[in-house]
Amino acid sequence: MIKAVEKPVSHSEKDKTVRITIDGRSIDAPKGMNLLEVARSNGIDIPSLCYHPGLEAFGACRLCVVEITKPGWENWRKLVTSCLYPVEEDLIVYTRSPEVMENRRVVLDLQLARVPNSDVIRQLAAEYGIHDTTYTKRKDADNCILCGICVRVCEAVGANAISTLSRGPDKYVEVPDPEACIGCLACAESCPTDAIGWHEENGIRHIWHRDFELVECETCGKPILTQQQIDHFVEKSGLEERYFAKCDSCRKKETAVSISRVMF
Ligand code: FES
């Protein structure tokens, strides 16, 4: 049998990493990274609904739970949300133990009652053996699972247009002041359950009860951004409005042409 040769780890690398075990695999993980990111970057699947790699972890859906223990814990284990839990030296992680699977089943059972028409949740629940919810289904249900990604993405964009309103089972996501929305689609494109409806027709984008006229690329005529987006980006970035007058591909082509002129 060929013995695997362990890669020597330099001192400086060692200071930046911790060694953990996930599902029996020994992994060197960067300090400060959360368990979900470490598992995924090593090809280990952990399901999630409220995690977005570009945003701070929120810990709302609890689907990413895993079980952890450590050598000194005398077989004591606890469930943690992997998106919020930073890696620690010697941590032993189980991503599919019976407790983890049961916990995820409960989460998906509840989500299925909240959004019984969501294909994403139905498919995920089916992967865990749940084909119908044991709870009362929400009447007139939309596909929103209250993961909060749209609210946080909108904050990150700087528009701050989306909020959660009401409480408990009546809680919902809304744009209280449609004038604050810039029609950028960041919320709709990052929603894990496609709960935010939008469409475009004849140069008009419709989202959040509002119509936005699309500005066309001055070179190819393709509709690109809403005027509200352009105004917002100009204000936030300090760039001139003309910077946003072309679509990405026309801008790239023009840059390539100017580079080739300089070079040849
Ligand atoms: S992804 Fe971790 S709690 Fe939702």
Side-chain angles (χ1 to χ4, degrees):
M1 197 171 102
I2 301 170
K3 211 175 158 209
V5 180
E6 274 203 24
K7 200 177 132 214
V9 181
S10 72
H11 278 301
S12 56
E13 266 179 58
K14 226 174 177 176
D15 292 342
K16 291 183 202 151
T17 60
V18 291
R19 181 156 291 184
I20 65 169
T21 307
I22 305 183
D23 296 339
R25 263 177 68 189
S26 179
I27 289 170
D28 287 322
K31 272 184 185 163
M33 215 183 206
N34 66 52
L35 282 175
L36 180 68
E37 287 164 345
V38 171
R40 287 185 173 173
S41 59
N42 284 278
I44 299 165
D45 180 47
I46 296 177
S48 69
L49 287 170
C50 71
Y51 179 76
H52 185 291
L55 300 170
E56 211 173 303
F58 189 47
C61 73
R62 304 216 28 106
L63 190 63
C64 69
V65 285
V66 293
E67 226 182 347
I68 58 164
T69 187
K70 273 190 155 187
W73 289 9
E74 295 172 2
N75 290 331
W76 183 70
R77 294 178 176 196
K78 70 171 173 177
L79 288 168
V80 296
T81 41
S82 62
C83 68
L84 290 175
Y85 205 92
V87 288
E88 290 164 10
E89 188 68 41
D90 292 337
L91 207 61
I92 301 164
V93 185
Y94 301 93
T95 70
R96 296 185 71 82
S97 68
E99 287 75 10
V100 166
M101 300 302 270
E102 184 49 30
N103 213 281
R104 287 188 195 149
R105 275 193 281 274
V106 172
V107 170
L108 289 166
D109 195 356
L110 284 163
Q111 286 291 7
L112 208 48
R114 178 169 173 86
V115 292
N117 306 316
S118 163
D119 289 341
V120 173
I121 299 299
R122 280 215 301 252
Q123 195 179 323
L124 201 48
E127 284 169 25
Y128 283 78
I130 298 171
H131 301 281
D132 202 1
T133 178
T134 55
Y135 298 93
T136 309
K137 287 181 192 159
R138 195 162 56 114
K139 283 205 183 82
D140 305 321
D142 56 15
N143 284 347
C144 176
I145 54 168
L146 295 175
C147 66
I149 289 179
C150 58
V151 177
R152 290 177 289 140
V153 161
C154 191
E155 259 171 38
V157 168
N160 291 306
I162 310 177
S163 304
T164 45
L165 301 179
S166 199
R167 287 171 180 213
D170 296 330
K171 198 165 164 183
Y172 65 104
V173 165
E174 184 53 284
V175 169
D177 171 15
E179 286 302 308
C181 175
I182 57 172
C184 68
L185 294 188
C187 55
E189 285 173 347
S190 52
C191 173
T193 52
D194 290 330
I196 301 171
W198 67 278
H199 63 270
E200 283 177 6
E201 206 175 350
N202 301 326
I204 304 289
R205 175 179 296 166
H206 182 82
I207 186 166
W208 291 117
H209 329 293
R210 190 170 163 199
D211 289 333
F212 295 88
E213 200 167 325
L214 290 164
V215 175
E216 294 173 352
C217 167
E218 66 178 22
T219 306
C220 70
K222 194 172 89 179
I224 36 174
L225 301 167
T226 69
Q227 186 58 51
Q228 290 79 354
Q229 258 178 294
I230 296 174
D231 295 344
H232 181 77
F233 294 156
V234 166
E235 193 193 320
K236 294 280 171 194
S237 67
L239 292 166
E240 287 179 34
E241 183 162 344
R242 67 184 167 80
Y243 181 81
F244 303 98
K246 293 183 192 354
C247 69
D248 281 350
S249 79
C250 288
R251 202 175 317 119
K252 274 182 202 150
K253 268 186 219 154
E254 282 176 24
T255 311
V257 170
S258 9
I259 289 172
S260 67
R261 276 202 197 115
V262 173
M263 291 182 72
F264 305 107

